[in-house]
Amino acid sequence: TCSFSRSPKGFPKLKNDTFLRAARGEETEHTPVWCMRQAGRYLPEFRETRAAQDFFATCRSPKLCCELTLQPLRRFPLDAAIIFSDILVVPQALGMEVVMVPSKGPTFTEPLKEVEDLLKLRQKVDVTAELGYVFQAITLTRHSLEGRVPLIGFSGAPWTLMSYMIEGGGSSTMAKAKSWLYRHPEASHQLLRLLADVITDYLVGQVAAGAQALQLFESHAGHLGPEQFQDFALPYIRDIAQAVKSKLKEEALPLVPMIIFAKDAHYALRDLAHAGYEVVGLDWTVRAQEARAQTGKDVTLQGNLDPCALYAPKEKIGELVKKMLEAFGTQRYIANLGHGLYPDMNPEHVGAFVEAVHAHSRHINKH
């Protein structure tokens, strides 16, 4: 249960630190595993908890976020929890209105159309005032986990958030957002810089609240080619890692491991490995051997089973997991899917995935 009864600090002692050890490149008895979107609509209890609530109202309720974060851990022996929230809380903190439209997804009531629209955004954001509800959710969840597993905090990366703010929602081409990069490069950098600064403060605030690792989601990296990624995504990804780390030091907060997940940015793996993150997340389109060759020995890899593999029969899931572990090796590796779980997935198949990672990695480590 999620109750505010305990003191805000004095968190319970961590019992399973396998995920953190793997992230830092230390040896582990088994390969740790968690899933993107593990707190999600594939769980009937999630749908029940969320049923009566507006999506963003749920995000603003620390109690509900805590409950949703814990649900998958009651079912599966996952090695990490990730706080239930959404990447679009950052544009909201900048003053934009985002609503969740049924069967359409997140929608901005007034997306950015012209360069002048940047003036409507808050230029200085007090993250505690605007996003304090996420910090409260993290603190509450960290206590409620009772040290079972580490808690991951996260944010969207600047380009991904910028693309939503201009497109006004999802898009298959990102043509409006990309046209800004070509037509208004200076204004694009101005917006990306503003986002990077807010994200930095937001991530530091999450650690202060109790997050034990951080993931930056550059979910729309695949819409950029190598050159635009180099100009408009990578510099901000690098800056965020550096700025978060120096602020954590300044504020005497724990230096938590950071994960960069840039979906479909296979062309940038080498750069991402040197961007200041302990872990590089991979989508399912990347071969394990190539990823290892590109990223070298100093980062941990995370990923990358095709989420749709979970539609396969359970025995088949086990075989695919074994192949994946043999390809990546069991050390300096965190097992995950190559993207989030889909709403129509069978929870038992998620369980089969998690258990297969533990069983096969233990077996490989013994022999």
Side-chain angles (χ1 to χ4, degrees):
T1 59
C2 301
S3 66
F4 269 116
S5 56
R6 282 166 289 234
S7 66
K9 289 276 175 333
F11 291 123
K13 192 174 172 330
L14 184 59
K15 297 172 194 144
N16 170 5
D17 66 348
T18 314
F19 163 80
L20 295 178
R21 291 213 316 275
R24 291 192 294 256
E26 297 162 19
E27 207 173 311
T28 59
E29 297 80 78
H30 68 265
T31 297
V33 55
W34 66 281
C35 298
M36 290 183 265
R37 299 217 185 107
Q38 64 190 28
R41 286 175 295 174
Y42 72 101
L43 291 174
E45 59 269 36
F46 176 95
R47 292 196 297 270
E48 217 167 286
T49 308
R50 277 267 303 106
Q53 285 282 349
D54 165 71
F55 178 79
F56 286 107
T58 305
C59 290
R60 285 188 286 273
S61 159
K63 258 196 151 101
L64 285 175
C65 290
C66 174
E67 167 58 24
L68 294 169
T69 303
L70 293 183
Q71 282 176 354
L73 294 160
R74 295 190 190 118
R75 278 189 185 245
F76 316 118
L78 294 152
D79 293 288
I82 183 164
I83 194 67
F84 176 82
S85 185
D86 194 86
I87 63 172
L88 299 181
V89 299
V90 171
Q92 287 176 335
L94 287 167
M96 295 187 82
E97 194 190 356
V98 191
V99 292
M100 198 53 88
V101 177
S103 75
K104 186 182 169 202
T107 306
F108 285 73
T109 48
E110 291 181 43
L112 305 173
K113 288 198 171 72
E114 304 302 330
V115 169
E116 298 76 62
D117 294 341
L118 294 181
L119 299 172
K120 296 180 191 164
L121 300 174
R122 277 191 194 105
Q123 300 304 307
K124 269 272 165 263
V125 174
D126 174 346
V127 289
T128 309
E130 300 300 330
L131 295 164
Y133 58 88
V134 180
F135 303 156
Q136 286 178 333
I138 287 172
T139 302
L140 177 57
T141 306
R142 176 82 189 268
H143 281 301
S144 303
L145 275 166
E146 293 172 333
R148 215 178 324 172
V149 293
L151 179 60
I152 304 169
F154 71 90
S155 173
W159 154 249
T160 295
L161 295 180
M162 170 182 171
S163 65
Y164 272 114
M165 290 159 76
I166 294 171
E167 295 291 340
S171 154
S172 57
T173 59
M174 296 292 154
K176 288 180 193 155
K178 286 179 73 178
S179 83
W180 271 54
L181 305 181
Y182 287 106
R183 287 164 46 227
H184 314 301
E186 276 167 38
S188 296
H189 280 298
Q190 195 189 326
L191 175 54
L192 292 162
R193 164 60 41 217
L194 174 63
L195 283 162
D197 291 344
V198 177
I199 291 163
T200 296
D201 290 344
Y202 180 43
L203 290 173
V204 171
Q206 291 186 47
V207 176
Q212 289 153 292
L214 297 168
Q215 178 155 314
L216 190 68
F217 284 86
E218 189 70 281
S219 312
H220 295 167
H223 289 280
L224 302 177
E227 281 177 24
Q228 282 194 313
F229 188 84
Q230 208 68 45
D231 288 349
F232 296 102
L234 189 63
Y236 300 98
I237 288 170
R238 277 198 195 114
D239 286 356
I240 288 167
Q242 207 181 344
V244 166
K245 286 177 181 185
S246 73
K247 285 197 176 188
L248 291 175
K249 273 194 192 125
E250 259 165 56
E251 297 180 29
L253 288 165
L255 280 176
V256 303
M258 295 178 71
I259 307 164
I260 175 65
F261 176 64
K263 188 173 178 293
D264 295 322
H266 46 85
Y267 53 77
L269 286 179
R270 193 171 302 240
D271 288 326
L272 290 167
H274 297 107
Y277 294 76
E278 285 69 27
V279 183
V280 174
L282 305 168
D283 63 72
W284 70 91
T285 66
V286 181
R287 285 194 178 88
Q289 292 83 343
E290 283 172 30
R292 284 280 184 212
Q294 295 279 322
T295 55
K297 295 202 169 25
D298 299 327
V299 297
T300 293
L301 295 178
Q302 173 177 284
N304 74 342
L305 191 73
D306 180 357
C308 291
L310 297 191
Y311 294 123
K314 283 195 241 176
E315 321 66 79
K316 179 74 176 154
I317 294 170
E319 286 165 36
L320 293 167
V321 165
K322 182 169 179 275
K323 243 165 104 176
M324 180 170 84
L325 285 160
E326 286 165 353
F328 279 104
T330 59
Q331 301 299 321
R332 260 212 180 280
Y333 175 53
I334 296 162
N336 204 315
L337 302 172
H339 201 217
L341 286 158
Y342 301 153
D344 63 348
M345 282 175 168
N346 181 342
E348 282 182 25
H349 288 222
V350 178
F353 167 66
V354 173
E355 276 152 34
V357 170
H358 287 162
H360 288 299
S361 62
R362 281 203 177 95
H363 182 79
I364 293 169
N365 285 344
K366 275 204 188 89
H367 299 86

